Amino acid sequence: MLDMQKHPILHDVQAGREVVWINPKKRDAASGIAAAPVGIDDVLDAEARLARFAPLIAEAFPETKARDGLIESELMELSAMRERLGADSAGITGRLMLKMDSHLAIAGSVKARGGIYEVLKVTEQLALASGILTDTEDDYKKLLLDEARTFYGGKKMQVGSTGNLGMSIGIMSAALGYQAIVHMSADAKQWKKDLLRSRGVTVVEYSGDYGEAVKNGRVQSDLDPDSHFVDDENSRDLFLGYAVAAFRLKKQLDEQEITVDAAHPLFVYLPCGVGGAPGGVCFGLKLVFGDAAHCFFVEPTQAPCMLVGMESGLHSGISVQDIGLTGITEADGLAVGRPSGFIGGVMEPLLSGEMTVEDAKLYDYLRELHESEGIFIEPSACAAFQGVMSLQSSQLQAYIRANHLEGCMENATHIAWATGGSLVPEELRVSFLEKHL
Ligand SMILES: *Cc1c(COP(=O)(O)O)cnc(C)c1O
């Protein structure tokens, strides 16, 4: 049971007000990482597996050729957006950057990291067990030949999704020949269902929310020995696929001669749904940058499941509906009522904090980014900018003092992690850009 008296912030959360929450259980990065059920070796293993698949990816998805089959996004400085947001007058110092996972190849969202990685991991296991690949040194492009496709045609890949995870799993597994089945919640957008069907993916629709779609998908998959279920709430493989982003980011920061260390802190703002994507990225960042990385999750005021789970300590044992919120938001990628228990546990000692954002502001950020920089990202991804703007809050100011960062915020780098948007159809972009709530 939840004792609301012990969690005063939850009164504001319950009332649907925006909040800034600092994680009281955060510890030093090394001990937080040591407490996790996965570590650096697992993330390196994931990176090596993606490298083995890179030649196949480059062949199957020509848009990845320029990066030799690596699915990676730009890190872009946002000078005009920084000005547009009034950072200087708000006392927000340091650079503002955009990590453009919104434009990742194949799936157009952060899910192109975790989702595609999990499909590839299963694919490799099956290929090695069946002899299609003799070993991990073999030519992975063999998997695109008819013989392999026929083999994968006898296997199913299933997932429950609000949209973007389904797109990443669906597109990748259909491309490899699997029977791909995506179980979608009521709030999943029609264009995503249409796009998946056009790629040969079976879309099963549910009238309920994301939790129901996942539950049904899992039950159906578990009944079938030839089916793999991508479990957004518990999957370590998804998590590891997301975590790889940190190695790539480190390289990009080095290339742009941006230092990250104790005197040059890195603040990262990640839109959060069930927690897998931001959790995996945050874990990778703590591995690479240690205590110099400060990670914040951002959630909608009506669906702050991770915040409620972490503040209450109940993790997946509580939903936003349990405290009277609707779980309904325009940010379809973040419309999740119950957080991943696995992620909540891993993040407990590592996450710096969370902030929530009203839906109306997502459209303001969307317009401001488009007008100032000419970049379009989807409403869910715009939540990242609420993180940046929260720097002026008394809670964040206290966090900066508590971490002895007052003297070095001039040297800070702030990264808004843009989690999706490049596949949004043109007519929807226009309506998003005109939308005022
Ligand atoms: C999935 C998604 C997120 C959040 O990822 P979770 O793993 O659900 O926390 C954020 N933004 C977009 C656009 C997404 O598709």
Side-chain angles (χ1 to χ4, degrees):
M1 254 306 285
L2 177 66
D3 179 357
M4 289 289 284
Q5 299 294 329
K6 293 202 178 115
H7 307 283
I9 192 171
L10 293 185
H11 289 286
D12 282 337
V13 171
Q14 191 166 42
R17 283 191 281 272
E18 289 185 344
V19 298
V20 176
W21 174 80
I22 301 300
N23 178 13
K25 294 184 180 159
K26 176 172 173 275
R27 303 200 302 263
D28 66 282
S31 76
I33 289 164
V38 289
I40 182 88
D41 291 344
D42 301 298
V43 187
L44 289 169
D45 178 55
E47 178 72 317
R49 182 164 294 106
L50 289 168
R52 292 197 286 278
F53 273 97
L56 174 155
I57 301 276
E59 181 146 318
F61 298 95
E63 72 264 36
T64 66
K65 273 215 170 90
R67 292 184 195 268
D68 297 323
L70 220 59
I71 302 166
E72 197 40 71
S73 69
E74 298 288 316
L75 175 67
M76 219 185 106
E77 178 140 27
L78 297 182
S79 314
M81 179 64 168
R82 194 181 176 289
E83 201 173 319
R84 182 63 189 262
L85 290 170
D88 284 332
S89 48
I92 298 168
T93 56
R95 288 173 194 253
L96 176 59
M97 323 273 303
L98 191 69
K99 182 59 179 155
M100 296 179 70
D101 280 6
S102 45
H103 292 66
L104 278 175
I106 304 174
S109 82
V110 67
K111 305 300 192 311
R113 298 186 184 280
I116 289 175
Y117 174 70
E118 179 152 341
V119 172
L120 297 180
K121 169 121 191 245
V122 172
T123 300
E124 184 182 62
Q125 273 166 349
L126 289 170
L128 292 170
S130 66
I132 294 176
L133 291 178
T134 51
D135 55 37
T136 54
E137 308 280 300
D138 206 346
D139 178 5
Y140 279 44
K141 291 206 292 290
K142 276 187 194 167
L143 300 179
L144 296 173
L145 302 178
D146 285 347
E147 184 204 350
R149 291 185 60 84
T150 305
F151 170 77
Y152 290 111
K155 312 274 174 198
K156 288 185 188 135
M157 191 66 73
Q158 306 200 49
V159 65
S161 172
T162 60
N164 286 342
L165 183 63
M167 299 235 285
S168 120
I169 302 287
I171 293 171
M172 191 68 215
S173 45
L176 290 168
Y178 288 94
Q179 298 172 48
I181 305 170
V182 178
H183 302 265
M184 280 186 147
S185 48
D187 44 37
K189 299 288 179 263
Q190 189 60 41
W191 69 269
K192 295 184 182 178
K193 298 175 190 168
D194 296 342
L195 188 149
L196 282 171
R197 288 181 173 131
S198 78
R199 303 284 181 104
V201 175
T202 302
V203 177
V204 186
E205 299 178 55
Y206 295 88
S207 54
D209 74 354
Y210 163 82
E212 187 194 331
V214 171
K215 201 166 77 198
N216 281 289
R218 188 185 286 127
V219 168
Q220 293 193 23
S221 184
D222 287 351
L223 290 171
D224 184 345
D226 280 322
S227 177
H228 177 81
F229 184 70
V230 177
D231 186 344
D232 200 13
E233 291 170 336
N234 299 295
S235 168
R236 286 186 188 194
D237 288 326
L238 274 180
F239 182 82
L240 294 170
Y242 291 125
V244 166
F247 299 137
R248 317 272 179 83
L249 181 74
K250 165 88 172 94
K251 199 163 156 253
Q252 291 177 320
L253 289 166
D254 288 347
E255 280 163 8
Q256 298 187 35
E257 297 181 356
I258 297 172
T259 306
V260 175
D261 59 22
H264 301 78
L266 179 68
F267 279 67
V268 182
Y269 311 97
L270 299 139
C272 177
V274 74
V281 171
C282 170
F283 186 74
L285 293 171
K286 299 302 278 188
L287 283 174
V288 172
F289 301 106
D291 294 316
H294 304 268
C295 302
F296 294 86
F297 290 176
V298 192
E299 296 183 287
T301 48
Q302 286 297 324
C305 63
M306 187 60 69
L307 195 166
V308 171
M310 291 189 78
E311 166 63 21
S312 65
L314 297 173
H315 297 300
S316 55
I318 189 166
S319 74
V320 300
Q321 287 82 5
D322 290 341
I323 65 164
L325 295 171
T326 62
I328 295 170
T329 165
E330 300 265 327
D332 55 337
L334 315 181
V336 180
R338 190 182 294 278
S340 157
F342 162 55
I343 301 293
V346 176
M347 284 299 107
E348 202 163 79
L350 296 172
L351 189 68
S352 292
E354 285 225 20
M355 33 298 266
T356 56
V357 59
E358 288 170 1
D359 281 10
K361 274 198 201 158
L362 298 175
Y363 290 104
D364 295 340
Y365 295 135
L366 189 146
R367 248 179 286 112
E368 286 162 350
L369 181 67
H370 189 258
E371 284 166 16
S372 62
E373 305 274 357
I375 298 170
F376 175 89
I377 63 177
E378 66 187 86
S380 299
C382 293
F385 289 107
Q386 179 79 352
V388 179
M389 296 316 288
S390 300
L391 277 163
Q392 51 191 327
S393 68
S394 57
Q395 294 90 334
L396 256 284
Q397 290 303 312
Y399 174 89
I400 287 167
R401 284 192 300 277
N403 286 274
H404 312 293
L405 297 171
E406 308 97 304
C408 52
M409 289 309 286
E410 295 277 342
N411 308 327
T413 300
H414 302 281
I415 299 183
W417 209 282
T419 43
S422 64
L423 293 188
V424 175
E426 181 59 28
E427 62 278 16
L428 263 177
R429 289 181 191 223
V430 172
S431 80
F432 285 163
L433 286 163
E434 285 170 354
K435 198 152 183 165
H436 291 262
L437 291 183

